[in-house]
Amino acid sequence: MTKMIIIRHGESLGNAKLVFLGHTDWDLTETGYKQAEKTANFLDDMKIDVIYSSDLIRAYNTVLPIAERRNMEIIKSENLREINAGEWEGMKFIEIEEKYPENHSIWMNDIGNAVCNGGETVKELQIRIKKELDRIAKENPGKTVCIGTHATPIRTMLCEWKGLPITETKNFGWVQNASVTIVNYNDDGTYTLELEAESAHLKDVPSVKLEHI
């Protein structure tokens, strides 16, 4: 069994400015950096053998305090990135709603069937993330792995971890910035969800409340 501690990045400049980032590489806000420290505090007593992160700076800088406290390196992976948002990259949410009303409506109301114009479908994202998590787990048998990633990957994987079809993604809300989810990758290739979107340690540093991502 491989234990995977999966962390959503802290509040980003995109979150604060209501901009859809996708692969756009913007950093954390001051609040996001505080959340990263709070999450590192939360995990201080937990054994961690290896740390991976999306190569986007908002995810990397969220797990950086965890790595620094342990004098560990962070292995970057572009396969852990947020959804490729195509033409939506760097657009304000209100602009996406105005320019792409049909696909925006699907994103808001039936996200499992959504696609960013010119980018990935949510299903394609889920396949990408699962393939990468499977790879990481198989390369680290018996270890505890910390992973920094993004909101949509976690939201879609909650369906996978709970044995539900991708169409059920609409029934899971966005996990909070810098929240902690723990899953176990079992020897038979299945996952067992141990902790879902733990965020009590962040009560003093809340994020902007988001409906989009």
Side-chain angles (χ1 to χ4, degrees):
M1 184 185 76
T2 303
K3 185 179 293 293
M4 311 184 88
I5 303 169
I6 299 175
I7 302 169
R8 183 190 174 187
H9 65 77
E11 182 186 80
S12 69
L13 291 168
N15 297 148
K17 296 178 182 294
L18 303 181
V19 169
F20 199 125
L21 292 186
H23 288 191
T24 302
D25 203 10
W26 288 11
D27 203 354
L28 301 174
T29 63
E30 181 178 349
T31 294
Y33 275 99
K34 291 177 181 177
Q35 290 171 335
E37 290 291 340
K38 291 280 188 179
T39 298
N41 291 344
F42 177 69
L43 297 175
D44 263 346
D45 295 331
M46 191 169 292
K47 171 179 173 285
I48 293 175
D49 298 301
V50 60
I51 303 174
Y52 288 79
S53 175
S54 157
D55 61 347
L56 298 176
I57 193 169
R58 59 191 186 274
Y60 182 90
N61 282 342
T62 299
V63 297
L64 185 59
I66 300 168
E68 289 178 336
R69 295 179 188 204
R70 293 167 171 80
N71 195 28
M72 295 172 66
E73 68 170 333
I74 300 171
I75 302 169
K76 295 181 180 180
S77 170
E78 66 179 17
N79 291 325
L80 293 170
R81 287 183 177 188
E82 180 57 90
I83 195 167
N84 179 344
E87 296 169 25
W88 298 10
E89 291 279 341
M91 291 182 66
K92 286 187 173 292
F93 298 141
I94 187 64
E95 294 171 342
I96 297 170
E97 183 177 7
E98 292 171 351
K99 189 171 182 179
Y100 306 103
E102 183 175 349
N103 280 347
H104 177 269
S105 178
I106 297 171
W107 178 273
M108 294 297 293
N109 300 301
D110 188 17
I111 190 169
N113 288 312
V115 58
C116 302
N117 294 73
E120 285 181 295
T121 67
V122 170
K123 179 60 178 178
E124 287 169 341
L125 167 70
Q126 185 194 51
I127 292 169
R128 165 166 64 84
I129 295 296
K130 183 181 184 302
K131 183 178 179 180
E132 184 68 354
L133 294 182
D134 287 352
R135 181 191 70 80
I136 290 171
K138 291 173 183 175
E139 290 184 358
N140 295 279
K143 295 182 180 180
T144 298
V145 183
C146 180
I147 297 173
T149 187
H150 304 262
T152 321
I154 296 172
R155 191 174 180 186
T156 62
M157 286 304 296
L158 282 170
C159 282
E160 174 69 25
W161 297 329
K162 294 185 177 187
L164 299 171
I166 188 71
T167 51
E168 294 301 303
T169 308
K170 63 186 177 184
N171 295 320
F172 299 105
W174 299 110
V175 301
Q176 184 170 328
N177 292 108
S179 61
V180 175
T181 296
I182 299 178
V183 296
N184 297 312
Y185 180 85
N186 304 309
D187 293 340
D188 63 358
T190 62
Y191 286 86
T192 303
L193 185 62
E194 182 177 320
L195 182 69
E196 183 177 342
E198 170 61 44
S199 61
H201 59 288
L202 302 166
K203 63 181 183 298
D204 297 331
V205 281
S207 297
V208 174
K209 184 173 177 58
L210 297 177
E211 297 180 354
H212 293 75
I213 193 170

